[in-house]
Amino acid sequence: MKKIAVLALNTFRESIRDKIFYSLLAFAVLMLGFSLILGNLTIGDEIKIIKDFGLAAISLFGVLIAIFVGISLVYKEMEKRTIYVILANPISRYQFVLGKYLGLSFTLMVEVVVMTAGLFVLCYLKQQLIPWELFMAIVPICFELQLILAVALLFSTFVSPFLSGMLTLAVFIIGHLTLDFKVLVASLDNPALKKTADVLYYSFPNLETLNFKARVVHGIDIPWTEFIFSLSYAATYTIMILALSLYIFNKRDIR
Amino acid sequence: MSTAAISISGVSKTYRTGFWGKKFVALDALSLSVEKGEILGYLGPNGAGKTTTFKVLLDLIRPDSGTLSIFGDPADQKARERVGYLPENPYFYMYLTAEETLHFHGRLRGMKGEARKKRIPELLHLVGLEHAKSRSLKKFSRGMLQRIGIAQALVNNPDILILDEPMSGLDPNGRKQMRDIILGCRDQGKTVIFSSHILSDVEIMCDRAAIIRQGKLQEIVQVSEMLDNKVAHWEITCSSLPENSPYEDCIVHKTKNQILLKTNGEVEAKKMIQKIEESGGRVLSFGPQRVNLEEFYNQSGKEEK
């Protein structure tokens, strides 16, 4: 466990010394600032716009960091040959992969915390209230980011960063659309399309199940059972993908 | 019989390369053992399987067949606690400083904070990087990276050192330092196996040298015995040769005042000296030339072909 922590801390140090992380974080904070301007320009409930835009920014930039940094997690180590010296130490491959994953996962959580703090400050300036209810949307976002990160890591163990980036992005997009597609196709009388929708729905993670943003912003109640189910679904999926990554990485020759 | 420090028995590894998965035999039933406390030079042309042998020992590459052991135990994660490894052209995390790199590797080898704080300044002194301890590795030259590489290999004072081309990228001073470090390790009772193309280094440092070609162990030689016993040829330096001398073919080098001659047998050499002296020439020096590792290595390569 100690060695996983050593690797995780080092990965965290790597990402916070990485320029990409700072540029994405800076963009994310700018987006929050932009929501203020947008709120002023829009007719309607200004605070809702800020919350809606802020949550979308947290989710979007979290995913971008997960993909951009996650896809090169293992592959970069092999390409830059740093992996030889690391794995020659008395550590197992699963410790290496988990260490890398947890390090980046921690980086992502720091990003979410910084952005959430920024959003809360904005909301407080507007309505002199801290919108604690937003956590009902932010916690599922964190689970979604962990899942996307695991997918990026999985691809990173066997394909190049560019291809893993494309594949992870595809999983993210399809994961958000499968439910809509399934519902849409259900009303049509086309068995082939229905079958395709089923295959997509069951083979990709259903990321929409973690999207509580609109309901939270509009103050619609979320049943606890649904909330817990969604988080458990994401956690199970993440663990399964991590296990698959470990299995693939363990089989590889580090040439 | 005492247990070997490293034992490789019947290890084979075949890669599939290219689009059609063409087979490439990297190791072919390789068997080799390195005794405790010895320095073994591991020689062979590029692509012979030297690095693959090291990677198989460190579980970076899984062999198709065969067994590997370290001090009699399987060469697994636990056994790697006793092994330090310096890869060829080592690559490290460039965002870390020299000191951070050594702490990182020390932690991965389970060293406690106190032990690291004591050991790391010693190592930085040993490899001559005290002045650069707070510099990030991206500002290091290749030679400096090689030095930090040997320092990390030694961080937890391991019993075995596996060094892949440890002299590459080093200037003459750095090479001497590296030689001293390796010889110092032997004095401390450590076992060292290292690959190198610089045969004079192998000659100076190694007890034995193993030659591998096309994944097969071709020969193991006792370096000191070979250097002591085998006479390659005899050399005579003289001032002049008799007229119409039959030794024109034996001339290796000729200057205004000296002629260097080379011949194979002692008897023939003595005859040559007699003739030179009878014709009024003067013999300036005469003696056997011992075989060196380079000649032996090249000879064994020719025999293989």
Side-chain angles (χ1 to χ4, degrees):
Chain A
M1 196 60 207
K2 257 188 184 170
K3 288 175 182 172
I4 296 177
V6 171
L7 286 160
L9 267 174
N10 197 59
T11 307
F12 176 67
R13 179 153 49 180
E14 179 180 3
S15 35
I16 58 165
R17 286 183 188 180
D18 197 336
K19 287 187 185 103
I20 292 181
F21 175 70
Y22 284 110
S23 39
L24 281 172
L25 197 61
F27 254 106
V29 174
L30 269 178
M31 282 276 285
L32 283 179
F34 185 64
S35 72
L36 211 59
I37 300 168
L38 205 69
N40 280 327
L41 294 176
T42 319
I43 305 162
D45 200 341
E46 194 182 334
I47 195 75
K48 273 186 188 163
I49 300 285
I50 292 173
K51 285 178 187 171
D52 206 14
F53 210 75
L55 287 175
I58 292 174
S59 169
L60 178 71
F61 283 92
V63 167
L64 285 180
I65 291 177
I67 294 178
F68 273 107
V69 191
I71 51 171
S72 55
L73 262 184
V74 176
Y75 194 88
K76 195 170 79 183
E77 294 267 356
M78 288 200 253
E79 203 177 44
K80 292 198 168 179
R81 303 182 185 186
T82 43
I83 199 164
Y84 303 139
V85 194
I86 304 296
L87 285 184
N89 284 302
I91 60 166
S92 66
R93 293 195 186 182
Y94 91 86
Q95 286 174 319
F96 174 77
V97 171
L98 281 185
K100 299 293 290 180
Y101 176 81
L102 291 176
L104 192 49
S105 159
F106 188 48
T107 314
L108 273 175
M109 292 308 102
V110 168
E111 186 259 3
V112 171
V113 166
V114 169
M115 290 195 65
T116 304
L119 181 59
F120 281 8
V121 168
L122 277 184
C123 292
Y124 186 78
L125 291 175
K126 279 284 161 193
Q127 60 172 15
Q128 278 72 50
L129 268 177
I130 292 178
W132 298 110
E133 75 281 1
L134 291 190
F135 275 116
M136 288 296 277
I138 292 170
V139 171
I141 287 175
C142 291
F143 275 68
E144 181 182 353
L145 294 180
Q146 297 300 333
L147 206 163
I148 293 296
L149 181 60
V151 173
L153 175 81
L154 169 69
F155 290 129
S156 159
T157 56
F158 64 97
V159 285
S160 71
F162 178 74
L163 199 55
S164 354
M166 290 291 126
L167 293 170
T168 312
L169 197 63
V171 170
F172 174 70
I173 294 169
I174 296 171
H176 275 286
L177 295 178
T178 49
L179 187 65
D180 287 348
F181 189 52
K182 193 171 151 62
V183 172
L184 189 74
V185 167
S187 58
L188 300 173
D189 191 23
N190 187 333
L193 264 182
K194 276 185 180 171
K195 190 82 193 156
T196 313
D198 277 346
V199 169
L200 283 175
Y201 184 75
Y202 290 111
S203 45
F204 284 85
N206 178 6
L207 298 176
E208 267 308 297
T209 190
L210 293 159
N211 186 1
F212 293 97
K213 292 193 278 284
R215 280 195 271 172
V216 168
V217 170
H218 291 95
I220 299 166
D221 267 350
I222 296 164
W224 277 104
T225 45
E226 185 192 343
F227 187 75
I228 299 292
F229 173 80
S230 297
L231 298 189
S232 316
Y233 169 79
T236 311
Y237 223 111
T238 305
I239 291 168
M240 274 165 47
I241 293 174
L242 277 178
L244 185 60
S245 312
L246 291 174
Y247 176 78
I248 292 173
F249 187 63
N250 202 37
K251 288 266 168 206
R252 279 200 71 158
D253 279 335
I254 314 293
R255 286 166 67 178
Chain B
M1 205 180 107
S2 65
T3 316
I6 296 173
S7 173
I8 300 170
S9 174
V11 169
S12 295
K13 177 70 189 176
T14 304
Y15 295 126
R16 290 193 173 272
T17 55
F19 184 75
W20 302 106
K22 200 178 156 199
K23 278 186 180 178
F24 169 73
V25 180
L27 295 178
D28 189 359
L30 179 79
S31 294
L32 174 70
S33 76
V34 188
E35 299 307 319
K36 192 172 178 287
E38 81 166 329
I39 302 184
L40 182 96
Y42 200 37
L43 311 175
N46 292 330
K50 301 187 295 291
T51 301
T52 305
T53 309
F54 294 159
K55 286 186 179 173
V56 163
L57 257 173
L58 294 161
D59 198 31
L60 291 169
I61 289 175
R62 273 65 194 264
D64 301 329
S65 59
T67 55
L68 299 119
S69 64
I70 288 172
F71 291 114
D73 297 320
D76 56 11
Q77 185 186 340
K78 179 94 184 99
R80 288 203 297 278
E81 284 174 6
R82 301 180 72 177
V83 179
Y85 173 56
L86 170 68
E88 185 182 2
N89 304 327
Y91 292 87
F92 299 101
Y93 294 135
M94 292 300 172
Y95 52 87
L96 295 181
T97 66
E99 213 172 18
E100 285 171 346
T101 302
L102 295 182
H103 276 285
F104 174 59
H105 285 278
R107 283 191 193 101
L108 286 181
R109 296 199 196 171
M111 286 174 80
K112 297 263 185 300
E114 280 304 309
R116 277 184 280 121
K117 276 181 197 156
K118 189 170 173 289
R119 178 76 174 151
I120 288 167
E122 285 171 9
L123 282 172
L124 287 167
H125 175 72
L126 181 75
V127 299
L129 284 176
E130 278 164 314
H131 65 287
K133 66 177 183 182
S134 307
R135 206 182 293 171
S136 83
L137 297 193
K138 61 176 163 262
K139 292 177 187 151
F140 269 35
S141 68
R142 189 151 167 243
M144 287 165 91
L145 286 174
Q146 198 77 6
R147 286 160 192 250
I148 202 71
I150 188 77
Q152 69 76 30
L154 286 166
V155 74
N156 65 334
N157 208 8
D159 298 316
I160 295 176
L161 279 178
I162 298 176
L163 313 174
D164 200 352
E165 303 280 354
M167 306 294 179
S168 76
L170 292 175
D171 57 22
N173 188 30
R175 265 175 66 186
K176 187 187 173 303
Q177 253 184 335
M178 183 67 86
R179 272 204 302 264
D180 291 344
I181 290 171
I182 295 173
L183 290 171
C185 287
R186 180 175 53 189
D187 294 342
Q188 291 165 27
K190 296 187 198 304
T191 308
V192 183
I193 175 168
F194 77 91
S195 66
S196 181
H197 290 296
I198 305 168
L199 300 179
S200 56
D201 286 333
V202 177
E203 243 174 48
I204 295 169
M205 292 189 286
C206 295
D207 303 298
R208 292 190 303 156
I211 301 173
I212 178 176
R213 287 182 202 274
Q214 293 171 345
K216 282 185 194 162
L217 184 70
Q218 195 185 27
E219 199 142 8
I220 295 188
V221 287
Q222 289 283 348
V223 176
S224 53
E225 266 179 36
M226 182 191 72
L227 296 177
D228 286 348
N229 298 334
K230 283 198 176 177
V231 173
H233 57 263
W234 292 74
E235 279 185 2
I236 302 161
T237 315
C238 60
S239 58
S240 61
L241 279 180
E243 268 184 41
N244 302 323
S245 150
Y247 304 129
E248 289 293 328
D249 290 347
C250 303
I251 297 175
V252 179
H253 184 66
K254 195 173 179 176
T255 64
K256 200 175 158 191
N257 303 319
Q258 287 185 0
I259 301 166
L260 176 66
L261 301 157
K262 182 174 151 183
T263 185
N264 286 332
E266 188 178 359
V267 178
E268 202 183 332
K270 283 182 177 163
K271 265 188 203 166
M272 267 169 120
I273 291 169
Q274 200 183 352
K275 291 261 184 201
I276 293 164
E277 284 174 341
E278 278 169 7
S279 68
R282 200 155 52 92
V283 173
L284 303 171
S285 71
F286 156 66
Q289 292 300 306
R290 307 275 167 201
V291 78
N292 66 22
L293 193 57
E294 189 171 334
E295 283 164 10
F296 184 83
Y297 176 80
N298 289 333
Q299 194 59 41
S300 76
K302 279 178 200 159
E303 279 165 17
E304 174 77 2
K305 279 171 194 166

